[in-house]
Amino acid sequence: MMLRIRSRDGLERIQVDGPQITIFQLKTLIESQLQIPIQNQTLSTDQNLLLAKTLADLLRFSDMTDPSIPLSALNLSHGSIIFLYYHGERTVRGGPTVSPAGSFGRKMTMDDLIAKQTRITRQESPHCDSVSFDRDSANAFQRFVNETLAFASKRGGFMYGTVTDEGRVEVDFIYEPPQQGLEDDLVLLRDPEEEKLVDAIAAGLGRKRVGFIFTQTIMQEKKDYNFSNKEIIQAAELHAESELKEWVTVVVKLEANEDGAADVHFEAFQMSDMCVKLFKDGWFVTEFGENDDPKLSKMKKDVVVGGKDVKEVDNDFFLVVVKIFDHQGPLSTSFPIENRKNLVTLRALKSHLDRTKSLPFVKRISDFHLLLFLAKSQGLGSDVPALTECVNTQTAVPEGYQLLIESMANAA
């Protein structure tokens, strides 16, 4: 039976005899196969273990502290992921053979010297405390990719919200740009003019772009990675473009549960500082071959990982886990969402206004996707500041705007 062990060094695999072995026997196997002493190990099925900073933090993860418990009691089976925190240093096994670049007859260049100093280690702490999703917004996104796309093609969107003084990212809506989703790739067909409108609406609502969310397909679920090499590069590019240190990248995927059914999971990460720097400096190989391992990112120059010079890096080295929460934000997400398969028309506007006619008019238009529709399709782009100010402050919409919007709907 194979188990996947995720630590600060990335994802590794160990072989065990079966689910009947105890936690103590598992720790013994980790010591022999991964060279981590038993006394240095803390194990858990909770990924938040990797965020632990103090002994008190570690003591909260007690699900695997009893050495006599069999793995079967924790519903662990072939392919299960166990999270490992350990003290001390180690040499990561299984790296490529070290090549003596710059020595034995070849002069070392400045690039060689820089590469020798470029050490990739796991970043322990994210720059944001956590990310919290507006429930309706998150549900609208996952429902579309689950029920309409059936997780057969990828989908992505930009998350908009706020960053609190404590570093908590609060996501209130998701803008889905024009895109082409494939089985293992996501091509964003970005429209600068539309994005300017989106950013203007967000600013009027007191929000800004705070991250990127994307899905993995059911075909990818069979692969053994958190992010593929293509996803690492796309996420690093968008993170670098944002220039926001709290920028968050979220992946949505289907995973089999204990009953064999599939559940939708949200997982949040930040790209490590080193990942963003390497992207900005052009170190990533951005072309992929059929035989490339998607779990590994290729470098144009050698970097040092686990004491070895390598040109392929486990993608997990570039990911920093972020805690996820949810909240009920002030905006609704009931208007049809932009750039999906069905064109949004005035009929949708009429239907929305009819459905919400018992509410004050400002509440009826307190929906980012509705405001974008009005600004983009109905020529109200110049009126965005006035409308968003009403929504942001929840004050009455001037009668002229109300009559104009209602007349548009009635013309459907």
Side-chain angles (χ1 to χ4, degrees):
M1 184 174 94
M2 182 273 290
L3 292 175
R4 295 178 287 177
I5 307 296
R6 188 177 304 284
S7 71
R8 68 190 191 216
D9 301 319
L11 190 68
E12 299 174 89
R13 298 159 186 77
I14 65 169
Q15 295 295 326
V16 303
D17 291 337
Q20 74 280 358
I21 71 166
T22 64
I23 290 175
F24 177 77
Q25 291 171 313
L26 172 61
K27 288 188 171 184
T28 302
L29 291 170
I30 291 175
E31 181 177 59
S32 63
Q33 296 184 34
L34 303 186
Q35 293 78 53
I36 301 174
I38 292 176
Q39 65 271 20
N40 291 357
Q41 301 175 27
T42 301
L43 301 177
S44 178
T45 57
D46 186 344
Q47 68 174 353
N48 288 315
L49 172 68
L50 300 182
L51 297 173
K53 301 293 184 300
T54 65
L55 178 60
D57 291 339
L58 291 176
L59 292 176
R60 293 206 306 268
F61 300 92
S62 59
D63 57 325
M64 297 185 72
T65 54
D66 186 339
S68 64
I69 292 179
L71 302 187
S72 57
L74 298 171
N75 295 312
L76 296 172
S77 58
H78 179 76
S80 293
I81 296 180
I82 296 172
F83 297 91
L84 164 65
Y85 181 100
Y86 69 89
H87 301 283
E89 301 296 329
R90 63 182 281 242
T91 298
V92 180
R93 63 176 187 168
T97 303
V98 179
S99 59
S103 55
F104 299 111
R106 185 170 73 83
K107 289 185 177 180
M108 186 171 284
T109 66
M110 184 59 68
D111 283 348
D112 292 330
L113 288 169
I114 293 173
K116 293 294 183 186
Q117 298 171 7
T118 304
R119 297 181 178 273
I120 297 180
T121 58
R122 190 176 185 91
Q123 182 176 318
E124 299 296 335
S125 303
H127 292 293
C128 65
D129 172 74
S130 57
V131 59
S132 180
F133 276 94
D134 171 73
R135 298 184 194 98
D136 294 338
S137 181
N139 187 54
F141 184 79
Q142 69 87 16
R143 190 171 63 244
F144 176 70
V145 297
N146 189 15
E147 298 177 4
T148 303
L149 301 182
F151 280 94
S153 59
K154 293 170 70 70
R155 187 75 182 169
F158 290 106
M159 304 185 297
Y160 282 78
T162 56
V163 180
T164 69
D165 292 340
E166 296 77 24
R168 179 187 180 104
V169 174
E170 296 189 345
V171 178
D172 288 318
F173 59 86
I174 299 169
Y175 158 65
E176 298 179 21
Q179 57 195 274
Q180 181 181 9
L182 306 175
E183 179 180 309
D184 65 349
D185 201 3
L186 177 62
V187 181
L188 299 180
L189 307 172
R190 299 176 66 177
D191 179 344
E193 291 304 314
E194 182 169 295
E195 290 191 23
K196 284 181 182 178
L197 272 179
V198 170
D199 289 342
I201 294 170
L205 297 173
R207 272 55 176 182
K208 64 182 178 180
R209 195 177 300 190
V210 293
F212 181 65
I213 185 171
F214 70 95
T215 63
Q216 290 179 340
T217 63
I218 52 177
M219 286 66 77
Q220 287 182 282
E221 196 274 331
K222 300 173 184 175
K223 311 283 179 68
D224 193 14
Y225 54 71
N226 272 321
F227 281 31
S228 71
N229 44 19
K230 293 179 183 178
E231 291 164 350
I232 288 287
I233 289 174
Q234 184 173 54
E237 178 181 12
L238 296 173
H239 191 146
E241 175 189 302
S242 75
E243 299 184 348
L244 179 69
K245 70 175 183 177
E246 296 91 355
W247 181 269
V248 179
T249 303
V250 176
V251 59
V252 183
K253 61 178 78 172
L254 274 183
E255 288 188 352
N257 60 27
E258 298 169 1
D259 301 323
D263 291 331
V264 178
H265 282 264
F266 284 64
E267 296 180 6
F269 301 90
Q270 280 201 294
M271 310 312 292
S272 70
D273 296 343
M274 177 58 74
C275 177
V276 176
K277 182 180 186 303
L278 289 173
F279 177 82
K280 287 182 175 179
D281 293 344
W283 283 52
F284 281 95
V285 174
T286 56
E287 296 182 359
F288 307 95
E290 290 184 5
N291 297 322
D292 288 345
D293 187 342
K295 297 190 295 293
L296 302 174
S297 292
K298 285 188 173 183
M299 301 287 115
K300 294 178 181 177
K301 310 167 191 174
D302 282 347
V303 294
V304 180
V305 180
K308 296 182 178 181
D309 292 355
V310 300
K311 280 190 175 177
E312 293 185 336
V313 181
D314 188 314
N315 298 334
D316 282 353
F317 275 100
F318 297 128
L319 300 176
V320 188
V321 177
V322 175
K323 295 176 287 187
I324 292 184
F325 299 94
D326 63 12
H327 67 273
Q328 192 64 55
L331 302 173
S332 69
T333 310
S334 56
F335 191 77
I337 292 173
E338 62 284 343
N339 299 315
R340 291 186 173 178
K341 292 183 176 181
N342 297 323
L343 183 67
V344 182
T345 65
L346 286 173
R347 187 174 296 276
L349 177 63
K350 178 172 174 53
S351 175
H352 175 86
L353 293 179
D354 287 346
R355 189 172 60 251
T356 58
K357 60 185 176 182
S358 63
L359 300 174
F361 194 78
V362 68
K363 284 287 187 185
R364 298 164 77 186
I365 66 167
S366 294
D367 186 309
F368 160 77
H369 307 286
L370 183 150
L371 292 171
L372 179 59
F373 171 75
L374 293 175
K376 184 176 71 169
S377 304
Q378 303 306 312
L380 294 184
S382 61
D383 300 299
V384 161
L387 291 172
T388 54
E389 182 179 0
C390 293
V391 171
N392 193 37
T393 58
Q394 288 296 289
T395 53
V397 177
E399 185 178 3
Y401 283 122
Q402 181 173 337
L403 291 174
L404 178 61
I405 294 170
E406 288 178 336
S407 67
M408 289 176 178
N410 292 330

